[in-house]
Amino acid sequence: MKIIPVILSGGAGTRLWPVSRKAYPKPFMQLADGKTLAELTFDRALNIATEGEVVTVTSRDYYFLCKDIYKKNSQCDLEKQTFLLEPAGRNTAPAIALAALKVQQSHGDDAIMIVMPSDHLIKDSVTFNAAVKEAAELAAAGYLTTFGIYPTAPETGYGYIKAGKKLNEQAAEIEQFVEKPSLEVAKSYLASGDYSWNSGMFAFRVGSLLEALEQTAADVLSESIKCFASTDTAGSQIEFELQQFMQLPDISIDYAVMEKAAKRAVVDSRFDWNDIGSWNAMANLSESDEAGNRIEGKAITVDSRNCYIRAGDRLVATVGVDDLMVVDTTDAVLIAHKDKAQGVKDVVQFLKAKDHEAAVFHKTVHRPWGSYTILEDEDDCKVKRLVVKPGQVLSLQLHHKRSEHWTVVSGTAKVRVGDDEFMLEANKSVYIPVETLHRLENPTDQDIALIEVQCGSYFGEDDIVRFEDIYGRIDEQKANS
């Protein structure tokens, strides 16, 4: 039996703002131990992959983030990893359908896909692996299989699955999918013992899934086939074209297939599972002190009880407060009552309506070549600290409305200004006038860091005209160099 894990990596994570933002969502935010959910999910996937191969469905914006994270795993062979890059969000049914077509192309109809969102936290790998084994066997027998999480509380934020006829000690046929219930209904589900939480994880035999799609969501399958056929799928980095991709129906795999298919199963899964859908869930990952406070980072609590504090670079102090959540980042601070944690998404909606950058970006923005951090942003100048990874090259570009000054802080950069090309060592600077072609490259095996000072009348990212770009962004004037 060939098992190919499929990771769904993306999402806005609005309920975990200001740490999770559109440009750097929940799977990539660090937990208290310094690891990310994406990193832990890939580790988990690699453990169950038959031959070390994992398919990741993500956006083009997150491709390099995923790739850098995967390289941290010493068992990872990047040549075996496949990335399906979505140009826009289109829900789980088309994402899984496209992944199925890719797995079918590479391994045939009998390969087993284990579909795993990248924003779940699971620590009990032994029990998880046992559940995967059971789910894979059911999938091989033609069942569209999901992992039902054993409920430990009457949660109203999760969907539920009602189990039907028993298939064995650990699995049953699915009788019904249920939407998020009221508290009283959730209590009755818990008391009955017939319901589990819908985890959003699945096991499919590729051929069985595609047959089910044809029967229950033919439009999803037909448009996915068209999209796949119009794409170059030969390499490990497969990027779908926007216009064709947007023809795909925006629908979840639950609605498209799982609620309608004839042969469905649920595995009773007893591993620890947390989708970390709110700051309360994040808080529960930390140990509390005698007053019930849970603290990450540098914080002082005086006469404060039952608070969750996630401090960034600054010291956070609370005095005489109870039941608060305080989340600090370099450019935004969230203060909320614990009982109102779900309201954070309303803050994000407000920021989006105002077209505020804080809904999308942090002060540090990650790019394919590295990252930049905004140190100052005023009407007359903008100052950034750039970190360029080994072997990476920024685009050949110019600006109409600003000049730039680069000072290398560490490492040695290869610089082009106009027709001149030269090496720029630490503590050396260069001036790039307006309307001048320029490019920065790191030809070494160490990171280079530099300070960029922009002067002029306008500093928007749309004042970037690209002429050459190894990341395929020549037409993307809103992306950073």
Side-chain angles (χ1 to χ4, degrees):
M1 185 188 306
K2 182 161 292 193
I3 292 179
I4 309 295
V6 174
I7 297 176
L8 306 180
S9 187
T14 55
R15 290 178 294 176
L16 290 171
W17 185 89
V19 177
S20 174
R21 306 189 194 184
K22 184 178 179 181
Y24 202 74
K26 179 169 63 167
F28 308 112
M29 61 184 283
Q30 283 193 339
L31 303 177
D33 63 1
K35 292 195 172 184
T36 65
L37 292 170
E39 181 179 355
L40 294 170
T41 302
F42 180 69
D43 293 348
R44 199 161 58 245
L46 211 54
N47 282 335
I48 63 172
T50 304
E51 297 175 357
E53 178 183 350
V54 177
V55 174
T56 301
V57 185
T58 188
S59 82
R60 176 177 171 174
D61 293 337
Y62 307 145
Y63 166 60
F64 290 95
L65 287 172
C66 290
K67 195 173 178 181
D68 287 346
I69 285 170
Y70 291 3
K71 285 192 292 187
K72 294 181 180 180
N73 188 308
S74 60
Q75 305 302 312
C76 170
D77 182 351
L78 273 177
E79 292 184 358
K80 291 184 177 181
Q81 310 313 314
T82 300
F83 297 87
L84 305 185
L85 306 184
E86 298 179 318
R90 216 67 188 148
N91 220 318
T92 55
I96 292 171
L98 289 168
L101 292 171
K102 178 56 184 174
V103 175
Q104 181 191 51
Q105 181 189 68
S106 302
H107 302 288
D109 284 342
D110 289 333
I112 305 298
M113 300 165 49
I114 305 295
V115 179
M116 309 163 59
S118 65
D119 56 358
H120 293 174
L121 179 63
I122 298 170
K123 297 180 179 179
D124 184 356
S125 60
V126 174
T127 308
F128 171 76
N129 291 347
V132 167
K133 183 176 184 295
E134 176 64 35
E137 290 175 355
L138 288 168
Y143 284 95
L144 304 182
T145 307
T146 188
F147 296 78
I149 304 300
Y150 181 76
T152 55
E155 289 286 348
T156 59
Y158 300 147
Y160 284 71
I161 300 170
K162 185 178 182 181
K165 177 185 174 182
K166 278 275 191 181
L167 295 172
N168 55 48
E169 287 300 313
Q170 196 178 353
E173 293 180 347
I174 293 174
E175 181 173 320
Q176 183 184 12
F177 282 85
V178 184
E179 295 293 334
K180 298 173 182 177
S182 66
L183 180 59
E184 289 304 312
V185 172
K187 288 180 179 178
S188 70
Y189 288 169
L190 195 66
S192 74
D194 296 330
Y195 292 81
S196 57
W197 293 334
N198 186 355
S199 69
M201 296 186 295
F202 306 94
F204 301 125
R205 175 183 170 272
V206 170
S208 300
L209 173 62
L210 295 177
E211 289 171 8
L213 277 166
E214 188 172 16
Q215 294 168 3
T216 65
D219 55 342
V220 174
L221 180 60
S222 62
E223 292 299 335
S224 296
I225 290 173
K226 291 177 187 176
C227 185
F228 194 80
S230 66
T231 304
D232 180 2
T233 59
S236 62
Q237 180 185 345
I238 300 168
E239 186 169 352
F240 300 107
E241 189 270 329
L242 177 60
Q243 186 173 358
Q244 185 68 57
F245 186 84
M246 293 305 289
Q247 301 304 310
L248 293 164
D250 186 349
I251 187 171
S252 72
I253 194 69
D254 283 340
Y255 286 137
V257 178
M258 295 303 293
E259 293 188 3
K260 304 172 185 176
K263 197 172 182 180
R264 310 168 300 173
V266 57
V267 173
D268 180 14
S269 304
R270 300 298 177 113
F271 51 81
D272 58 319
W273 173 86
N274 192 336
D275 75 343
I276 312 186
S278 69
W279 280 117
N280 281 330
M282 181 67 77
N284 289 334
L285 301 179
S286 302
E287 295 293 329
S288 65
D289 61 19
E290 293 180 355
N293 298 309
R294 301 172 186 268
I295 297 172
E296 296 177 31
K298 298 175 291 185
I300 298 172
T301 57
V302 177
D303 192 25
S304 300
R305 289 168 293 277
N306 301 319
C307 293
Y308 170 65
I309 302 171
R310 180 178 172 125
D313 295 331
R314 295 175 290 201
L315 173 68
V316 174
T318 63
V319 180
V321 297
D322 300 339
D323 301 317
L324 288 186
M325 298 186 303
V326 181
V327 182
D328 179 46
T329 65
T330 55
D331 64 334
V333 180
L334 169 70
I335 302 173
H337 192 279
K338 290 172 65 175
D339 294 343
K340 301 293 183 180
Q342 300 297 334
V344 177
K345 62 182 183 294
D346 297 329
V347 175
V348 178
Q349 291 302 319
F350 178 85
L351 292 172
K352 287 180 178 178
K354 297 294 184 181
D355 199 26
H356 199 293
E357 279 193 350
V360 179
F361 296 109
H362 286 274
K363 286 290 187 183
T364 295
V365 178
H366 295 265
R367 292 302 185 197
W369 43 261
S371 65
Y372 70 80
T373 302
I374 299 173
L375 304 179
E376 186 171 354
D377 191 358
E378 302 294 341
D379 292 338
D380 57 354
C381 75
K382 190 170 189 174
V383 182
K384 297 179 179 179
R385 177 186 174 92
L386 281 68
V387 176
V388 183
K389 295 181 292 188
Q392 300 305 308
V393 186
L394 280 68
S395 57
L396 179 65
Q397 60 182 252
L398 61 75
H399 311 293
H400 295 302
K401 300 179 181 179
R402 68 177 185 252
S403 63
E404 294 181 345
H405 302 255
W406 291 344
T407 300
V408 176
V409 176
S410 63
T412 300
K414 185 177 180 181
V415 174
R416 174 178 169 179
V417 180
D419 294 329
D420 297 329
E421 198 166 68
F422 50 92
M423 304 301 289
L424 198 66
E425 298 177 344
N427 206 31
K428 300 293 184 181
S429 300
V430 64
Y431 168 62
I432 300 106
V434 175
E435 304 282 2
T436 302
L437 279 173
H438 58 281
R439 176 163 54 198
L440 180 72
E441 179 178 351
N442 182 357
T444 73
D445 59 1
Q446 301 292 326
D447 286 352
I448 59 173
L450 63 148
I451 302 298
E452 177 182 277
V453 179
Q454 303 174 3
C455 298
S457 60
Y458 179 71
F459 308 113
E461 298 302 319
D462 53 356
D463 183 30
I464 299 175
V465 183
R466 293 188 175 87
F467 295 88
E468 296 176 10
D469 183 69
I470 65 172
Y471 312 111
R473 302 168 301 161
I474 289 177
D475 295 326
E476 295 183 22
Q477 297 303 307
K478 290 186 178 180
N480 186 62
S481 58

